[in-house]
Short mmCIF file of all heavy atoms in Angstrom, two decimals:
data_model
loop_
_atom_site.label_atom_id
_atom_site.label_comp_id
_atom_site.label_asym_id
_atom_site.label_seq_id
_atom_site.Cartn_x
_atom_site.Cartn_y
_atom_site.Cartn_z
N ASP X 14 -33.28 27.42 23.87
CA ASP X 14 -32.51 26.22 23.54
C ASP X 14 -33.17 25.38 22.45
O ASP X 14 -32.68 24.32 22.09
CB ASP X 14 -32.23 25.38 24.78
CG ASP X 14 -33.49 24.76 25.37
OD1 ASP X 14 -34.60 24.91 24.80
OD2 ASP X 14 -33.38 24.10 26.42
N PRO X 19 -43.63 22.65 28.26
CA PRO X 19 -44.57 21.56 28.55
C PRO X 19 -45.98 22.09 28.87
O PRO X 19 -46.42 22.07 30.01
CB PRO X 19 -43.94 20.88 29.76
CG PRO X 19 -43.25 22.00 30.47
CD PRO X 19 -42.76 22.93 29.38
N ARG X 25 -59.69 24.01 25.49
CA ARG X 25 -61.14 24.27 25.49
C ARG X 25 -61.83 23.36 26.49
O ARG X 25 -61.48 22.20 26.65
CB ARG X 25 -61.73 24.01 24.11
CG ARG X 25 -61.45 25.14 23.15
CD ARG X 25 -62.18 24.96 21.88
NE ARG X 25 -63.60 25.22 22.09
CZ ARG X 25 -64.42 25.60 21.12
NH1 ARG X 25 -63.96 25.75 19.91
NH2 ARG X 25 -65.68 25.81 21.37
N PRO X 37 -43.99 38.13 25.27
CA PRO X 37 -43.81 39.11 24.20
C PRO X 37 -42.96 38.65 23.02
O PRO X 37 -42.46 39.47 22.26
CB PRO X 37 -43.14 40.27 24.92
CG PRO X 37 -42.33 39.62 25.97
CD PRO X 37 -43.14 38.43 26.42
N PRO X 40 -43.99 35.36 17.28
CA PRO X 40 -43.97 33.95 16.90
C PRO X 40 -43.26 33.70 15.56
O PRO X 40 -42.76 32.60 15.33
CB PRO X 40 -45.44 33.57 16.82
CG PRO X 40 -46.20 34.83 16.75
CD PRO X 40 -45.34 35.90 17.37
N PHE X 49 -41.45 48.44 26.95
CA PHE X 49 -42.67 47.91 27.56
C PHE X 49 -43.88 47.98 26.62
O PHE X 49 -44.62 47.01 26.49
CB PHE X 49 -42.99 48.62 28.88
CG PHE X 49 -44.25 48.08 29.49
CD1 PHE X 49 -44.22 46.92 30.23
CD2 PHE X 49 -45.47 48.70 29.26
CE1 PHE X 49 -45.39 46.38 30.75
CE2 PHE X 49 -46.64 48.17 29.78
CZ PHE X 49 -46.60 47.00 30.52
N ALA X 58 -51.38 40.62 21.10
CA ALA X 58 -51.51 40.00 19.78
C ALA X 58 -51.35 38.49 19.88
O ALA X 58 -52.05 37.73 19.20
CB ALA X 58 -50.47 40.58 18.82
N VAL X 63 -53.99 32.97 19.77
CA VAL X 63 -54.44 31.70 20.36
C VAL X 63 -55.96 31.62 20.31
O VAL X 63 -56.53 30.58 19.94
CB VAL X 63 -53.92 31.55 21.81
CG1 VAL X 63 -54.50 30.31 22.47
CG2 VAL X 63 -52.39 31.51 21.84
N ARG X 71 -60.85 38.96 19.39
CA ARG X 71 -60.65 39.71 20.65
C ARG X 71 -61.97 39.99 21.37
O ARG X 71 -62.00 40.13 22.58
CB ARG X 71 -59.84 40.97 20.42
CG ARG X 71 -60.50 42.06 19.63
CD ARG X 71 -59.63 43.27 19.44
NE ARG X 71 -58.51 42.93 18.58
CZ ARG X 71 -57.51 43.75 18.31
NH1 ARG X 71 -57.47 44.95 18.82
NH2 ARG X 71 -56.55 43.38 17.53
N ILE X 74 -62.89 37.44 24.14
CA ILE X 74 -62.14 37.38 25.40
C ILE X 74 -62.99 37.96 26.53
O ILE X 74 -63.43 39.10 26.48
CB ILE X 74 -60.81 38.14 25.27
CG1 ILE X 74 -59.95 37.49 24.17
CG2 ILE X 74 -60.07 38.17 26.60
CD1 ILE X 74 -58.71 38.28 23.78
N THR X 78 -55.85 37.83 32.90
CA THR X 78 -54.98 38.04 34.05
C THR X 78 -53.67 38.57 33.48
O THR X 78 -53.08 37.97 32.58
CB THR X 78 -54.73 36.73 34.83
OG1 THR X 78 -56.00 36.17 35.19
CG2 THR X 78 -53.91 37.00 36.09
N ARG X 84 -44.60 47.84 38.73
CA ARG X 84 -45.84 48.62 38.84
C ARG X 84 -45.76 49.96 38.12
O ARG X 84 -46.78 50.55 37.79
CB ARG X 84 -46.25 48.79 40.30
CG ARG X 84 -45.33 49.67 41.10
CD ARG X 84 -45.75 49.85 42.53
NE ARG X 84 -46.97 50.63 42.56
CZ ARG X 84 -47.94 50.48 43.45
NH1 ARG X 84 -47.81 49.60 44.40
NH2 ARG X 84 -49.00 51.22 43.40
N THR X 99 -60.34 48.50 21.90
CA THR X 99 -61.15 49.67 21.58
C THR X 99 -62.41 49.33 20.80
O THR X 99 -63.42 50.00 20.95
CB THR X 99 -60.32 50.73 20.83
OG1 THR X 99 -61.04 51.94 20.80
CG2 THR X 99 -59.99 50.32 19.41
N ALA X 106 -63.19 41.36 31.84
CA ALA X 106 -62.86 41.44 33.26
C ALA X 106 -61.34 41.24 33.35
O ALA X 106 -60.74 40.61 32.49
CB ALA X 106 -63.59 40.36 34.04
N ARG X 107 -60.73 41.81 34.39
CA ARG X 107 -59.27 41.79 34.42
C ARG X 107 -58.73 41.81 35.84
O ARG X 107 -59.28 42.49 36.70
CB ARG X 107 -58.75 43.01 33.66
CG ARG X 107 -57.26 43.09 33.56
CD ARG X 107 -56.85 44.30 32.77
NE ARG X 107 -56.06 45.19 33.60
CZ ARG X 107 -55.64 46.37 33.21
NH1 ARG X 107 -55.97 46.85 32.03
NH2 ARG X 107 -54.90 47.10 33.99
N THR X 109 -54.82 42.46 37.45
CA THR X 109 -53.44 42.81 37.12
C THR X 109 -52.60 42.67 38.39
O THR X 109 -52.98 43.20 39.44
CB THR X 109 -53.34 44.25 36.60
OG1 THR X 109 -54.22 44.38 35.47
CG2 THR X 109 -51.93 44.60 36.18
N VAL X 110 -51.50 41.95 38.26
CA VAL X 110 -50.62 41.75 39.40
C VAL X 110 -49.19 42.09 39.00
O VAL X 110 -48.82 41.98 37.83
CB VAL X 110 -50.68 40.31 39.95
CG1 VAL X 110 -52.04 39.99 40.49
CG2 VAL X 110 -50.29 39.31 38.89
N VAL X 111 -48.41 42.49 39.97
CA VAL X 111 -46.98 42.70 39.76
C VAL X 111 -46.30 41.42 40.24
O VAL X 111 -46.57 40.94 41.34
CB VAL X 111 -46.47 43.93 40.53
CG1 VAL X 111 -44.96 44.05 40.41
CG2 VAL X 111 -47.16 45.19 40.02
N VAL X 115 -40.73 34.86 34.79
CA VAL X 115 -39.72 33.80 34.71
C VAL X 115 -38.58 34.10 33.75
O VAL X 115 -37.42 33.89 34.07
CB VAL X 115 -40.41 32.47 34.33
CG1 VAL X 115 -39.39 31.37 34.12
CG2 VAL X 115 -41.40 32.07 35.40
N GLU X 117 -35.93 36.20 31.57
CA GLU X 117 -35.17 37.44 31.62
C GLU X 117 -35.62 38.38 30.51
O GLU X 117 -35.76 37.98 29.36
CB GLU X 117 -33.67 37.14 31.46
CG GLU X 117 -32.78 38.33 31.65
CD GLU X 117 -32.75 38.82 33.08
OE1 GLU X 117 -32.87 38.00 34.01
OE2 GLU X 117 -32.59 40.04 33.26
N ALA X 125 -55.72 34.46 29.29
CA ALA X 125 -57.10 34.87 29.08
C ALA X 125 -58.05 33.70 29.10
O ALA X 125 -57.64 32.55 28.91
CB ALA X 125 -57.22 35.60 27.74
N VAL X 126 -59.32 34.03 29.31
CA VAL X 126 -60.42 33.09 29.13
C VAL X 126 -61.31 33.73 28.07
O VAL X 126 -61.68 34.89 28.17
CB VAL X 126 -61.22 32.89 30.44
CG1 VAL X 126 -62.39 31.95 30.21
CG2 VAL X 126 -60.30 32.36 31.56
#
Side-chain angles (χ1 to χ4, degrees):
D14 67 3
R25 282 188 73 155
F49 180 82
V63 174
R71 69 180 68 186
I74 299 171
T78 305
R84 68 179 291 147
T99 193
R107 182 178 118 184
T109 304
V110 296
V111 175
V115 175
E117 187 69 33
V126 178

